[in-house]
Amino acid sequence: MNISELMRLDIAKRADASFKKVKEVQAILNASITFIEDDGVRRDGKLAGIPVALKDNISTKGIRTTAASNILDDYIPIYDATIVKKLADAGAVFVSKSSMDELAMGGTNRTANIGPCLNPYDPKRITGGSSGGSAALVACGAVPLAIGSDTGDSVRKPASYCGVVGVKPSYGRISRYGIIPYASSLDHVGYFTTNVADAALALEVLAGRDDLDMTSSSIPVPQYSKLLNADIEGKRILIFDNVLKAIKDDDILSAFEKLIAGLKSKGAIIETVHFRDDLMKCLFPTYFIIANAEATANHSNLDGIRFGHRIDGDSMEEVMINTRTRGFSSFIKKRFVIGSYSLFEENQDRLLRKAQKVRRLICDEVLNKLKTADVLIAPASGSIAPLIDSPSTDELNDEYLVVENHMVIGNFAGLPSMTLPLGQKEGMPFGVNITCNAFDETGMFTIGKAIEEISGLKDLTKEVL
Amino acid sequence: MKYDVVVGIEIHAELNTHTKMFSGAPYHFKAEANTCTNEVDLAHPGVLPCVNREAVKKAVELCTALNLKIDPLIKFDRKNYYYSDLPKGYQITQQFHPIGKDGHVTVDDEGTKQTIRINRIHMEEDTAKQFHLYDETLIDFNRAGVPLVEIVSEPDITSGKEAALYVEKLRQTLTYLDVSDARMEEGSMRCDINISLKEKGSDVFGTKVEIKNLNSIANIKEAIEYEIERQTKALESGEKIAQETRRFDEKTMTTVSMRKKEGSVDYKYFPEPNIFPILLSAEDIREITEAMPELPDVKEARYKDEFKLSDYDAGQLIQNKDLALYYDEMMKSGKYPKTCCNLLLSELQGLLAKRNESIAETEVRPNMLAKLAALLEEKVISSKQGKEVLNLMLDGSDPEEIVKEKGLRQVSDTSIIEKIVEEVLTDNPESIHDYKNGKDRALGYLVGQVMKRSKGQANPQMASDLLKDKLAKL
């Protein structure tokens, strides 16, 4: 399913199938937390009548928003996120609040309080996370566009596992106002589509300065969809050598090689770049410290006093303690403890401030190389989607540290980055990731379009019914 | 005294901006509870802070007025702690980069100038207000997010009186700049005192005690004086001073222990990621400081230089910003600085006091009061008539209109007065006789007769002069 196909239908009918399908696939995928009922309102605009799913950390006025956490189980926002207004103004019709890892703190979508979200290509496998519900709903053809958020690779990894296009534009390109945060300096709004043209169109609607988000950019928003072409003649493409060297899967490697050959034959200039190994090994710890330090403060508002699921106590302090103890899962509490620990005055120099310095070094390393190039390219993951009950990964082995964390560079430096389908193995999709210079979304879509033409993997969906 | 007194003062002043520090919600002190809040103030999930430009401008003005070095790179940090009056679970403040550093003010202690250094001024946001009832607590979030500046002095203050002068000076500066209402009784200016005693001349500081709950400048003086006495007694009897927070009790005029301080709290400060640093250009700062209102010291000097007012009058005028602004307004059209000043300070203020009205509330416009000054100075009306006219001006009427309507115009035409004088002399030969025999009272009587026949409109000075003239010739 894609946007241009739906546009051929009568505006009143464009969302009909979606309203039905998000409910029908629920038993198989568990991809929605709240279904949104059709109010019958249809508005004109770039997305007139187009059904859209919203990750459940996006504030929707009057519609329950839980971020997949028990602590917000009965939270009904009093305001709309800026992107919700923008999408509605463009005529989008909301059909689902989609599943996610609790408070977007995870990469598997196994930690949602409603249980894991399942992969349409194989419900025994994960979707990846944290925006797994949105990825699954696009992948199964329930919606042509679903919004997610991306703090480490929370849009781009599930896009790889679910065989869809996943976009995270530059930091500041899309307003974050109304997105329940994970880590403010790393959080981006991202989204899923089934093709690059839809991705370009969606960004036209979502992007732009918002006075409610001081980190949003005033750079004018180009007409991405009109500028879209696949001409990559003379484009300089950097192959991310550290990632390639660490990948063990031959199918992924050979698909990647074929893609590079295709890009070369379209006139691109290919170069291989190797970043400092010590810095690449720091990607995960650096991310983990910064993200969790910010997260522990960001979620201090969840105290049961003003909203959310309150658990009573004899004093105000007890109310807070009870609410937070019962409201968060152990995964979240673990991250809060780590975040808090790195914020202690006696630890900050050694942990948070050091992590911030390392983040700067990593950014400099990558930005220096990108200065004279257009794009950095690598497989989005070293494998297809893992099985749900597979034992948790050793997060500190060399392969994991580089291969499964390289996309966080886009978050560290705020660079536009997207994942596109690259191939399939055992019936499961896997993707390729491209990362470009800040605010060069136009260039990113051009290269994305070329990749789409070479791979032929466009408008993929997997019927689950 | 055997001890040196060391006092440092931290002042929190609410900036009187239209909206909050980081949200677009309005704020009025008297608004009904929880009506001046929005999702940002309530810290609903997903909200982001947005720096109030006006608040930054006001902080720059204050730093300039108090001689602080301004850091043009505006940055904010999070101060983390859980409390029910702090919706976000952290306060956005300026821990690492305060907007201003190293300033000073000079206070005048009966002719002795005393300089008190200011360590820093930083911007932050206020917390909600809590009302603890018997078995429940109510929270009013109107105050949550109101812009604050915290002004931290160096420990340069050595007495209760000096502390009061310092706080009064800051209050005056805050109100003249119109950056804060600075009303201690309403909590828009709050004051914490740190006080310790040390052996005279010693470099070793004593144990610091913090005093809170000071809601007037008079209480600041009282609290410090009480605390000096209490600590002196304790030290002299060999007791140790406990490191604690005390509050001032207005009923007993003493300080009472609130809580002991044990170690410092780790607020886990870190830079606020949702606000990028904002760089103020030299031009931005110049624009702000050039548009700043005149400060009280400058005003006072100008009143003395330009208008030749006495120290006392100039001091009286600047004591109250509204009075000074009123006087400035009068002098835009007024020609008689001294008469204008007298009319304002004694006549109008006196009338308003009786009516329980403030200068800000009165219907009497400054240009009208200046007109009255001119009518008096130019002898169009007598000072007695002046009082009558001012009374009638309280509804906003123009004094010239009143004079016309009531026919109060003082007659200063010599020929008219001369005619009346002649009539009076003709009708009162015995008074002439008395006058000639040295009874000065007779002149007064004759002037009175002239005033009576002119229905009070004759210029009494002229009447008296003319009478003397005529009597001499008789």
Side-chain angles (χ1 to χ4, degrees), chain B residues 56-70:
Chain B
V56 174
K57 193 182 143 231
K58 289 189 180 226
V60 167
E61 290 182 10
L62 183 64
C63 288
T64 308
L66 300 178
N67 310 296
L68 283 92
K69 286 188 213 84
I70 291 167

Side-chain angles (χ1 to χ4, degrees), chain B residues 39-324:
Chain B
E39 70 261 20
V40 178
D41 307 320
L42 294 170
H44 274 235
V47 298
L48 296 170
C50 198
V51 177
N52 183 334
R53 186 188 296 263
E54 196 63 19
V56 174
K57 193 182 143 231
K58 289 189 180 226
V60 167
E61 290 182 10
L62 183 64
C63 288
T64 308
L66 300 178
N67 310 296
L68 283 92
K69 286 188 213 84
I70 291 167
D71 187 341
L73 195 62
I74 309 290
K75 291 183 179 183
F76 292 93
D77 307 294
R78 289 187 185 177
K79 176 180 183 176
N80 296 286
Y81 65 96
Y82 289 95
Y83 204 66
S84 43
D85 68 1
L86 187 69
K88 287 192 291 292
Y90 59 84
Q91 179 195 37
I92 305 180
T93 178
Q94 291 191 296
Q95 174 69 8
F96 302 119
H97 299 272
I99 186 163
K101 268 188 183 161
D102 302 331
H104 63 267
V105 288
T106 307
V107 297
D108 190 339
D109 187 355
E110 287 171 38
T112 314
K113 304 259 184 213
Q114 200 64 256
T115 297
I116 294 158
R117 291 170 302 155
I118 294 170
N119 174 284
R120 62 187 270 156
I121 290 181
H122 66 255
M123 295 178 278
E124 57 188 31
E125 55 181 334
D126 213 340
T127 55
K129 224 186 238 173
Q130 299 203 112
F131 301 89
H132 298 287
L133 307 181
Y134 174 65
D135 59 351
E136 57 185 355
T137 297
L138 302 178
I139 312 178
D140 175 8
F141 289 97
N142 283 356
R143 204 181 66 180
V146 169
L148 287 179
V149 282
E150 182 172 343
I151 307 163
V152 183
S153 86
E154 294 287 356
D156 289 352
I157 297 156
T158 56
S159 69
K161 189 175 171 204
E162 215 172 273
L165 286 169
Y166 169 75
V167 177
E168 171 55 25
K169 183 82 177 188
L170 291 198
R171 195 197 59 79
Q172 209 179 53
T173 308
L174 286 162
T175 52
Y176 265 84
L177 291 173
D178 192 27
V179 301
S180 172
D181 298 340
R183 295 201 177 107
M184 290 190 77
E185 70 283 7
E186 287 182 1
S188 57
M189 180 160 119
R190 303 193 282 273
C191 188
D192 297 335
I193 303 284
N194 283 303
I195 175 167
S196 65
L197 301 189
K198 62 182 173 70
E199 293 287 337
K200 218 164 194 48
S202 166
D203 294 336
V204 186
F205 286 100
T207 306
K208 203 162 68 176
V209 169
E210 190 180 5
I211 311 173
K212 287 185 178 289
N213 194 35
L214 296 156
N215 58 8
S216 74
I217 291 178
N219 284 355
I220 290 172
K221 184 167 171 278
E222 290 291 338
I224 291 175
E225 281 168 2
Y226 173 82
E227 194 58 22
I228 293 171
E229 205 183 298
R230 185 188 74 85
Q231 291 191 22
T232 304
K233 269 190 203 152
L235 288 171
E236 278 178 351
S237 59
E239 279 172 47
K240 267 187 115 178
I241 303 293
Q243 188 177 349
E244 61 182 347
T245 302
R246 300 176 73 85
R247 72 182 169 80
F248 183 68
D249 186 274
E250 229 177 336
K251 279 189 210 126
T252 58
M253 298 300 252
T254 61
T255 64
V256 185
S257 182
M258 274 170 83
R259 55 178 179 264
K260 302 270 182 253
K261 281 192 173 174
E262 283 159 16
S264 57
V265 186
D266 183 354
Y267 289 113
K268 296 184 275 184
Y269 291 100
F270 72 98
E272 166 58 63
N274 288 316
I275 303 172
F276 289 162
I278 304 163
L279 183 64
L280 299 179
S281 67
E283 200 184 324
D284 292 334
I285 295 174
R286 201 174 50 240
E287 236 172 66
I288 295 169
T289 51
E290 274 175 4
M292 262 167 67
E294 191 177 34
L295 288 165
D297 288 352
V298 180
K299 217 183 256 296
E300 190 175 2
R302 182 166 62 83
Y303 288 168
K304 290 194 244 176
D305 284 0
E306 196 181 320
F307 300 140
K308 311 289 173 221
L309 296 187
S310 66
D311 286 0
Y312 179 80
D313 282 349
Q316 287 292 303
L317 284 173
I318 66 140
Q319 199 80 75
N320 175 340
K321 180 192 163 197
D322 290 336
L323 268 184

Side-chain angles (χ1 to χ4, degrees), chain B residues 424-425 427-432 434-435 439-453 463-464 467 471:
Chain B
V424 168
L425 288 176
D427 294 352
N428 294 287
E430 65 284 14
S431 293
I432 299 172
D434 288 350
Y435 182 76
K439 287 189 181 162
D440 283 348
R441 265 190 321 143
L443 181 66
Y445 174 76
L446 289 169
V447 171
Q449 290 304 303
V450 173
M451 295 311 290
K452 201 171 166 188
R453 284 196 193 197
S464 167
L467 275 168
L471 285 164

Side-chain angles (χ1 to χ4, degrees), chain A residues 166-211:
Chain A
V167 177
K168 177 206 84 65
S170 307
Y171 192 81
R173 186 71 294 185
I174 302 178
S175 166
R176 290 182 293 117
Y177 190 78
I179 312 302
I180 301 178
Y182 172 6
S184 313
S185 76
L186 298 162
D187 285 349
H188 294 65
V189 173
Y191 55 90
F192 303 90
T193 60
T194 58
N195 65 55
V196 177
D198 285 358
L201 178 69
L203 190 57
E204 272 176 40
V205 171
L206 291 165
R209 165 72 188 175
D210 175 13
D211 285 340

Side-chain angles (χ1 to χ4, degrees), chain A residues 66-88:
Chain A
T66 70
S69 184
N70 286 335
I71 204 162
L72 288 171
D73 202 41
D74 49 12
Y75 171 59
I76 294 173
I78 56 168
Y79 77 106
D80 273 330
T82 298
I83 55 161
V84 170
K85 288 186 187 156
K86 283 191 166 219
L87 286 165

